[in-house]
Amino acid sequence: ARRAADLSGILNGIDTGEWDPATDPDLPTHFDVRDLTGKARCKAALQAEAGLPVRVEVPLFAVVGRLVAQKGIDVLAAALDRILGWGVQLVLLGTGEPELEAFLGRVAASRRDRFTAWFRFDEARAHRIEAGADFFVMPSRFEPCGLNQMYSLRYGTLPIVRATGGLVDTVVNYDQASGEGTGFVFQDLRPDSLADTVGWAVSTWYDRPHHVDRMRRRAMAQDFSWGRAAREYVRLYHAAYARRRGHPFA
């Protein structure tokens, strides 16, 4: 805190060659910010892969990652019954704490028409989930930077994140009046806060679909590449050099 003026944060970058919905070899079809019709086909394919009813009108939520307390999965578990009660669909991919896996597995077995859980690591499926889902849920307790929300933004899948670390640095909260933003951000890590925010996304999906489309396109147009991060490192080095030497870097 004493040296706040000396600190600078630089976000991670993502591999925009590997994570590109226009060329991704793991997807059943491709799409980009100019033409999103392929995303609807990716959604239908993901619903079929997950054994869920193929329904374009139902919002499809996703979770990919470690099933541990750091990622807030225990909070998601506590909110799950309320969330699924709205008739949404949810796919989950990840491994982690045995008790969380067991609980989520029981819920998935009892709500097969709405919730599918895969307890394994599968890189290709993670790509298909990012492409096919409408919303990505990431309720982390702490997240120094995070990558999945950046993958989601690149694939037009709107993140629902807690306001912590790199999540709040990369996701712009939705403004219901103007339609601005790139996702949905909540403050308190509690089951009701998470559920309320998912509910906000659901109401936006049904009541303001034009806002969802605008946010998707805005999200996909952002630059989270390592090229951007590298330019920030160069800028920071030049600033540090000038501060130390008293003149700009030649």
Side-chain angles (χ1 to χ4, degrees):
R2 289 193 306 272
R3 299 190 60 187
D6 299 323
L7 297 174
S8 182
I10 298 177
L11 291 169
N12 284 339
I14 62 173
D15 186 334
T16 53
E18 180 181 355
W19 293 91
D20 184 352
T23 59
D24 192 332
D26 294 316
L27 306 188
T29 189
H30 297 126
F31 58 94
D32 58 32
V33 68
R34 296 179 302 277
D35 184 359
L36 289 170
T37 55
K39 185 168 178 63
R41 292 195 289 271
C42 287
K43 176 179 178 176
L46 178 60
Q47 289 171 318
E49 181 178 352
L52 298 170
V54 178
R55 298 176 59 191
V56 65
E57 76 279 7
V58 174
L60 177 57
F61 291 76
V63 177
V64 176
R66 292 183 295 119
L67 308 181
V68 295
Q70 180 211 330
K71 301 296 184 179
I73 302 300
D74 55 326
V75 178
L76 173 65
L80 200 51
D81 187 63
R82 184 179 168 198
I83 292 171
L84 294 176
W86 290 321
V88 305
Q89 295 178 343
L90 174 65
V91 294
L92 178 147
L93 174 67
T95 61
E97 297 174 7
E99 58 272 24
L100 282 173
E101 287 192 18
F103 174 82
L104 294 167
R106 289 194 298 271
V107 176
S110 67
R111 309 296 289 271
R112 294 183 186 276
D113 61 326
R114 301 182 185 183
F115 179 33
T116 296
W118 292 294
F119 301 115
R120 64 177 70 90
F121 177 77
D122 188 328
E123 182 75 15
R125 179 169 281 165
H127 282 241
R128 293 194 295 275
I129 290 173
E130 291 286 9
D134 297 304
F135 301 96
F136 191 91
V137 184
M138 202 169 176
S140 301
R141 278 187 166 79
F142 59 94
E143 196 71 59
C145 183
L147 294 174
N148 278 109
Q149 83 279 11
M150 296 186 195
Y151 300 149
S152 299
L153 291 165
R154 184 154 171 81
Y155 282 63
T157 300
L158 302 181
I160 297 170
V161 302
R162 180 166 173 261
T164 186
L167 301 182
V168 75
D169 289 335
T170 51
V171 180
V172 179
N173 196 25
Y174 170 52
D175 184 330
Q176 188 168 314
S178 67
E180 296 298 309
T182 57
F184 300 83
V185 182
F186 65 98
Q187 299 288 330
D188 301 320
L189 189 58
R190 302 193 314 265
D192 59 334
S193 297
L194 173 56
D196 286 346
T197 309
V198 170
W200 188 23
V202 173
S203 70
T204 304
W205 171 266
Y206 285 116
D207 300 336
R208 296 171 297 281
H210 58 294
H211 282 183
V212 172
D213 183 70
R214 285 167 56 186
M215 283 195 287
R216 277 180 170 170
R217 295 178 188 276
R218 189 179 302 116
M220 294 178 71
Q222 294 181 101
D223 180 9
F224 290 114
S225 68
W226 273 113
R228 173 204 49 79
R231 290 190 294 273
E232 285 295 301
Y233 278 107
V234 171
R235 181 199 59 78
L236 181 61
Y237 178 84
H238 285 175
Y241 182 96
R243 182 172 177 176
R244 180 66 177 263
R245 299 296 182 91
H247 60 84
F249 187 79

